[in-house]
Amino acid sequence: MKAKTIDYKTLKNKLEKYLEKDELEQIDSAYKYAKEKHKGQFRKTGEPYIIHPLQVAYILTSIKADKETIIAALLHDTIEDTETSKKDIEEKFGENVARLVDGVTKINNINVSTDNEYLTSYYKKIIVGMSEDVRVIIIKLADRLHNMRTLYALPHEKQKKKAKETLEILAPIAHRLGMNKIKSELEELSLKYLKPEAYNDVVEKLNKTKAEREEYVKKMMDEVSDLLNKNGIKHEIKGRAKSIYSIYKKLDKGRSFNDIYDLLAIRILVEKEQECYLALGLIHSKYKPIPKRFKDYIAMPKTNLYQTLHTTVIGLEGNFFEIQIRTYDMDEIAENGIASHWAYKEQKDAAVEMQNITEQKLQFYKSIIELKEDKLTNEDFMYKVKNEVLNNNIYVYTPKGDVIELPKGATPIDFAYKIHSAVGDKLTGAIVNNNMVPLTYELNDTDVVKVITNNNSKGPSREWLNIVKTTGAKNKIKSFFNRTTKEDYINRGKELLEKALRRKKIPMSEFLKEENLERIYKEFKLESLEDIYLNIGNNKFSTKAIIKQKNEAENHEETKPKLAINANDSDILVGDTKNIEVHIANCCLPLPGDEIVGYITKAHGIRIHRKDCTNIELFEDRVVDAKWNKDITNKYNSEVIIHTNSKENILVDIVQVASSMGITVENVNLIYKSSNNVYSVDVLVKDLETMEKFITNLNKIKHVNDVERIMR
Ligand code: MN
């Protein structure tokens, strides 16, 4: 049960493998210093206290921690538990080491009485400690790992409390930092103390099947190794123990032990990225892969920078084998994450490099910084860290395949702001898995999300503050509104109104007439013209509502009874995305060859209008680029009006012209019977070119004066 005890010599043997001689001398003196300071102190396990910092340093050698980190690990409890000050350490071991020890101490040293307060401010310090130097949290993780290994010495109640805390906060942080080896051990130890029965159940089941599994794995490894050797791919191949905790989680979700196919697992290490794919191809050609189990985390790394190819194949005797393929470099990152940067000796300042990568590439870190800036109470801060950042996450993809990490319940607005505040500010619509969705849509794991932005967008709506899930999005929306002053709103409102009036060809003087303004003041509970501008400018009322004209795109479409044929989704590109669900607008009935735009409606996804359709002018900020695809198979509705100079019926001639051209006539009506008959013709036609020829040919019919393709 007891962890293996090591002495300083064991630690030093490890350190000698990767540190310089002068560095080792400084570590020697740090060890002596710590030993002296902790003299006469004992741990709950009964061992001399120095064993603990020694073990923490030893754990850190497994990730090749730098000299400063090792020294800080040896000294990490001196400020807290002995008469040593930060200044003492700074004088003896330098500023960096002192800062690290102080950081770790701050995390531990909390003097609040109630449990809840204790926990929240404790957690907050861990998290904030990380923002100063990621090495602080790495030392803390090693410290916690050793404490978990020796948890047996504590009373049950304390064991459970530590285990829960480890599972909720420290293991997820290790995971986000990519430190998989430490994460797995933390999870396993937590489970052991939190749910001993479940833990023992998994261990027992694994033991019972061990011999058999090992035999299969060994044979499979030999076969795969042969295959790769024959094809000249240099590699190493390993059997891989599945983590007890991950098996427990699957069993907990109701899966049966025999079903968990990744119980038989192997890992292949190669030198170059290209060889990963080569090896995968060879394996798939020999063993049948299981559909949907292949994942390319090389092309699409996880948010903690993990890269590997995953596949599951039917291997020996029909058994499922989970196979992972990666390079040695990827392996280092997969095991040690951010800490792997210590392993690359040529990087002179690995600590600086690690901090940079943490800040720039790890999304959870940015989220934490955003929370930190939000002046929350300790409770709220921790609630959000636990629920928004570290747990309950979903992973969605950009169209390029980048992974974005968001909390459950996040919307396309959260997604847009996570990409960039400028993207969020100009957001007008979102396409999820090729379907137009409302901005309130709740994203799901693995959704592919494309946002539609428009440079004419007036900015976010205040309503979004009630919709978004992430603190980051909320802060960015608030900051947009803070940047905009009242005066800006008034100016913008005035501009928007003038523009809208020009479009509707209503003179400003008409709008400013006393009776019109009175009507508006009354209807919208406003008091002055300035008030009108302000409320248009801040998006409270639309110019449409204020000017109150009925003839706008959506109303118009709803009043027209007949529906245009729906576009084949692949016929139209919205932005540069294919296969988005679109509808053809009934008012202008665009044909392939017409210049088109997409118009984001409130309830019916994207409608495709002709670019010059008069119904869309008013709503510029809801318009997105659209174009026809090259290969179009569908035919589309169009409508022409034929004016004649005779009361002679020419219906038969019209139908003949159409059928001679392969145009489907849906409907022909004599709509105005007089000495000058007028006909309306609905057709299905391939494209604009055909339509134009059709009009030319109709014009050749006797008595025809004029043919017009119409736009309502
Ligand atoms: Mn400690």
Side-chain angles (χ1 to χ4, degrees):
M1 196 75 183
K2 273 193 182 181
K4 179 186 72 175
T5 308
I6 57 141
D7 53 17
Y8 183 62
K9 200 169 169 289
T10 322
L11 172 67
K12 215 168 157 191
N13 286 340
K14 276 270 189 179
L15 292 168
E16 273 165 354
K17 290 189 180 135
Y18 71 93
L19 291 181
E20 306 292 325
K21 200 160 174 262
D22 63 316
E23 293 178 313
L24 292 171
E25 278 163 15
Q26 292 174 55
I27 291 171
D28 281 345
S29 89
Y31 173 68
K32 273 181 207 133
Y33 187 86
K35 198 176 170 195
E36 180 62 31
K37 292 283 178 183
H38 288 296
K39 205 167 166 184
Q41 295 177 342
F42 294 89
R43 298 200 86 214
K44 292 272 190 308
T45 55
E47 296 158 313
Y49 197 89
I50 190 65
I51 292 294
H52 169 64
L54 199 57
Q55 285 279 6
V56 173
Y58 188 76
I59 289 169
L60 289 165
T61 60
S62 72
I63 52 176
K64 299 196 170 57
D66 66 350
K67 174 202 75 182
E68 286 174 349
T69 304
I70 297 290
I71 293 177
L74 288 169
L75 301 172
H76 82 267
D77 278 333
T78 55
I79 295 184
E80 193 179 340
D81 295 339
T82 76
E83 312 245 302
T84 310
S85 68
K86 184 183 175 192
K87 203 153 172 261
D88 295 339
I89 293 179
E90 190 174 328
E91 276 163 14
K92 259 191 110 46
F93 302 100
E95 198 194 317
N96 285 348
V97 171
R99 205 166 24 77
L100 290 175
V101 175
D102 188 50
V104 177
T105 306
K106 272 193 195 142
I107 290 173
N108 289 334
N109 186 17
I110 288 146
N111 302 311
V112 265
S113 49
T114 82
D115 221 28
N116 219 0
E117 241 181 284
Y118 161 79
L119 280 178
T120 50
S121 65
Y122 166 75
Y123 291 148
K124 186 168 178 182
K125 281 184 181 163
I126 294 185
I127 307 282
V128 174
M130 196 168 41
S131 60
E132 277 136 35
D133 189 331
V134 67
R135 294 180 297 175
V136 170
I137 195 68
I138 292 176
I139 297 170
K140 183 68 213 170
L141 289 171
D143 178 34
R144 174 53 59 94
L145 182 55
H146 183 239
N147 285 336
M148 288 300 291
R149 284 177 183 170
T150 53
L151 202 59
Y152 55 83
L154 294 186
H156 284 314
E157 194 194 320
K158 279 202 173 170
Q159 287 177 344
K160 292 221 189 287
K161 202 169 114 185
K162 287 264 174 213
K164 185 162 181 284
E165 185 182 291
T166 303
L167 209 51
E168 279 184 354
I169 303 291
L170 290 142
I173 288 177
H175 174 61
R176 293 306 188 289
L177 292 173
M179 301 173 67
N180 194 42
K181 232 183 340 189
I182 288 181
K183 177 205 110 177
S184 296
E185 197 180 340
L186 286 174
E187 283 176 342
E188 202 158 310
L189 288 163
S190 300
L191 182 67
K192 185 168 152 186
Y193 289 100
L194 264 183
K195 303 203 163 161
E197 281 138 48
Y199 174 86
N200 288 326
D201 181 48
V202 176
V203 173
E204 212 174 281
K205 280 180 171 141
L206 281 173
N207 281 340
K208 242 191 237 163
T209 54
K210 198 175 176 206
E212 193 189 13
R213 276 184 297 118
E214 279 180 350
E215 200 192 311
Y216 280 131
V217 169
K218 173 81 181 56
K219 279 190 192 156
M220 184 70 177
M221 278 166 52
D222 290 345
E223 266 196 33
V224 172
S225 204
D226 268 0
L227 176 69
L228 298 181
N229 282 334
K230 264 187 215 143
N231 289 278
I233 299 177
K234 243 173 89 185
H235 65 277
E236 257 177 75
I237 190 161
K238 294 173 183 172
R240 189 160 60 83
K242 285 298 292 182
S243 113
I244 291 175
Y245 185 70
S246 73
I247 294 171
Y248 155 74
K249 276 212 312 207
K250 284 176 185 166
L251 292 177
D252 199 40
K253 276 187 193 156
R255 303 258 306 267
S256 89
F257 188 76
N258 294 327
D259 274 2
I260 303 176
Y261 18 82
D262 27 18
L263 286 177
L264 293 177
I266 61 178
R267 178 175 297 149
I268 300 162
L269 299 179
V270 293
E271 265 156 28
K272 288 179 231 133
E273 183 180 310
Q274 199 194 10
E275 291 166 340
C276 294
Y277 292 99
L278 279 175
L280 179 80
L282 289 167
I283 288 165
H284 278 182
S285 65
K286 177 155 181 180
Y287 308 98
K288 204 175 167 63
I290 308 292
K292 290 188 180 163
R293 294 277 300 174
F294 169 63
K295 297 213 175 74
D296 185 348
Y297 292 118
I298 293 179
M300 291 190 252
K302 290 192 189 184
T303 50
N304 63 9
L305 313 178
Y306 174 93
Q307 288 187 297
T308 295
L309 298 178
H310 289 192
T311 186
T312 301
V313 299
I314 304 175
L316 273 175
E317 293 176 37
N319 286 303
F320 287 170
F321 281 84
E322 192 190 69
I323 300 180
Q324 298 183 344
I325 310 168
R326 61 199 188 204
T327 66
Y328 291 98
D329 284 354
M330 291 170 192
D331 189 52
E332 186 63 44
I333 291 170
E335 295 289 306
N336 298 327
I338 200 75
S340 61
H341 289 268
W342 274 319
Y344 304 112
K345 265 259 155 180
E346 63 272 22
Q347 266 162 14
K348 203 66 208 126
D349 211 337
V352 173
E353 175 75 3
M354 272 162 53
Q355 188 66 17
N356 284 343
I357 291 174
T358 307
E359 286 172 20
Q360 286 158 27
K361 294 203 175 155
L362 299 182
Q363 294 180 23
F364 89 105
Y365 181 84
K366 285 183 199 159
S367 306
I368 282 173
I369 297 298
E370 278 163 358
L371 283 176
K372 214 178 95 186
E373 285 164 358
D374 202 31
K375 298 203 179 66
L376 298 161
T377 64
N378 286 348
E379 275 80 18
D380 286 347
F381 177 84
M382 273 326 298
Y383 178 84
K384 289 190 171 209
V385 167
K386 262 197 262 178
N387 295 291
E388 246 184 51
V389 183
L390 293 180
N391 295 299
N392 304 319
N393 287 293
I394 56 164
Y395 296 89
V396 299
Y397 296 95
T398 67
K400 275 193 208 150
D402 292 333
V403 193
I404 303 292
E405 185 172 354
L406 289 166
K408 250 200 187 112
T411 64
I413 308 175
D414 294 290
F415 175 90
Y417 277 106
K418 183 107 192 194
I419 291 183
H420 200 276
S421 59
V423 175
D425 287 347
K426 292 189 184 313
L427 179 70
T428 51
I431 291 154
V432 173
N433 307 329
N434 292 329
N435 288 312
M436 189 79 194
V437 298
L439 293 179
T440 50
Y441 179 84
E442 265 190 30
L443 296 172
N444 295 308
D445 222 16
T446 72
D447 276 347
V448 178
V449 186
K450 183 179 163 67
V451 292
I452 303 171
T453 57
N454 186 310
N455 284 332
N456 294 325
S457 163
K458 286 172 265 174
S461 142
R462 275 190 195 274
E463 187 57 25
W464 291 6
L465 289 169
N466 303 320
I467 298 171
V468 296
K469 179 85 180 172
T470 53
T471 305
K474 206 165 265 180
N475 288 346
K476 284 169 187 166
I477 295 167
K478 281 186 195 156
S479 117
F480 175 88
F481 286 110
N482 289 341
R483 281 197 309 270
T484 318
T485 63
K486 191 178 169 190
E487 206 160 322
D488 291 331
Y489 285 133
I490 291 173
N491 289 335
R492 202 172 65 190
K494 186 161 186 260
E495 227 173 85
L496 286 170
L497 182 74
E498 286 171 355
K499 216 166 150 188
L501 287 170
R502 271 201 302 279
R503 280 205 198 106
K504 296 213 164 201
K505 301 193 169 60
I506 300 171
M508 192 66 178
S509 58
E510 183 132 338
F511 180 82
L512 292 178
K513 275 186 182 156
E514 188 95 36
E515 70 222 44
N516 186 44
L517 291 179
E518 286 301 331
R519 173 189 67 82
I520 294 169
Y521 296 156
K522 212 172 134 199
E523 194 171 321
F524 295 92
K525 298 193 171 63
L526 300 173
E527 293 187 341
S528 63
L529 183 59
E530 196 170 75
D531 233 12
I532 294 180
Y533 294 151
L534 175 67
N535 282 286
I536 292 174
N538 68 15
N539 298 344
K540 193 165 170 198
F541 301 125
S542 63
T543 52
K544 172 181 89 178
I546 297 278
I547 301 173
K548 214 180 180 184
Q549 266 211 354
K550 289 186 199 80
N551 188 22
E552 46 95 357
E554 263 162 338
N555 283 347
H556 188 93
E557 283 171 22
E558 275 153 23
T559 54
K560 190 165 190 253
K562 191 179 55 180
L563 263 178
I565 197 161
N566 225 354
N568 203 338
D569 293 342
S570 64
D571 283 353
I572 289 171
L573 296 160
V574 174
D576 44 18
T577 313
K578 217 174 153 176
N579 289 326
I580 294 166
E581 193 191 331
V582 293
H583 303 275
I584 296 291
N586 289 313
C587 47
C588 55
L589 297 172
L591 289 174
D594 280 322
E595 278 197 273
I596 51 172
V597 292
Y599 171 78
I600 303 163
T601 66
K602 282 190 182 123
H604 313 288
I606 293 182
R607 258 189 215 291
I608 300 301
H609 289 256
R610 281 196 244 166
K611 206 170 195 170
D612 53 358
C613 177
T614 47
N615 291 313
I616 53 167
E617 281 183 352
L618 267 177
F619 311 99
E620 233 167 41
D621 60 331
R622 284 160 67 184
V623 169
V624 289
D625 285 345
K627 58 173 181 279
W628 294 98
N629 228 336
K630 280 198 192 75
D631 309 310
I632 288 172
T633 44
N634 240 18
K635 283 183 171 179
Y636 287 88
N637 283 108
S638 195
E639 188 178 358
V640 289
I641 300 291
I642 303 170
H643 297 267
T644 69
N645 56 16
S646 153
K647 58 179 175 189
E648 203 170 304
N649 193 317
I650 60 159
L651 284 174
V652 176
D653 304 270
I654 295 171
V655 174
Q656 259 175 8
V657 168
S659 63
S660 73
M661 296 180 67
I663 291 170
T664 314
V665 176
E666 293 237 293
N667 208 355
V668 197
N669 283 312
L670 178 54
I671 53 173
Y672 187 71
K673 201 170 175 182
S674 72
S675 53
N676 304 307
N677 280 351
V678 179
Y679 303 84
S680 142
V681 188
D682 293 347
V683 290
L684 280 174
V685 62
K686 203 173 105 223
D687 56 18
L688 180 63
E689 201 189 327
T690 314
M691 189 65 198
E692 282 168 349
K693 267 190 204 141
F694 181 50
I695 289 173
T696 313
N697 291 342
L698 288 173
N699 267 310
K700 288 179 190 158
I701 297 173
K702 199 175 170 195
H703 304 303
V704 169
N705 263 357
D706 177 42
V707 182
E708 184 189 6
R709 179 182 168 204
I710 63 152
M711 182 186 291
R712 292 179 186 270

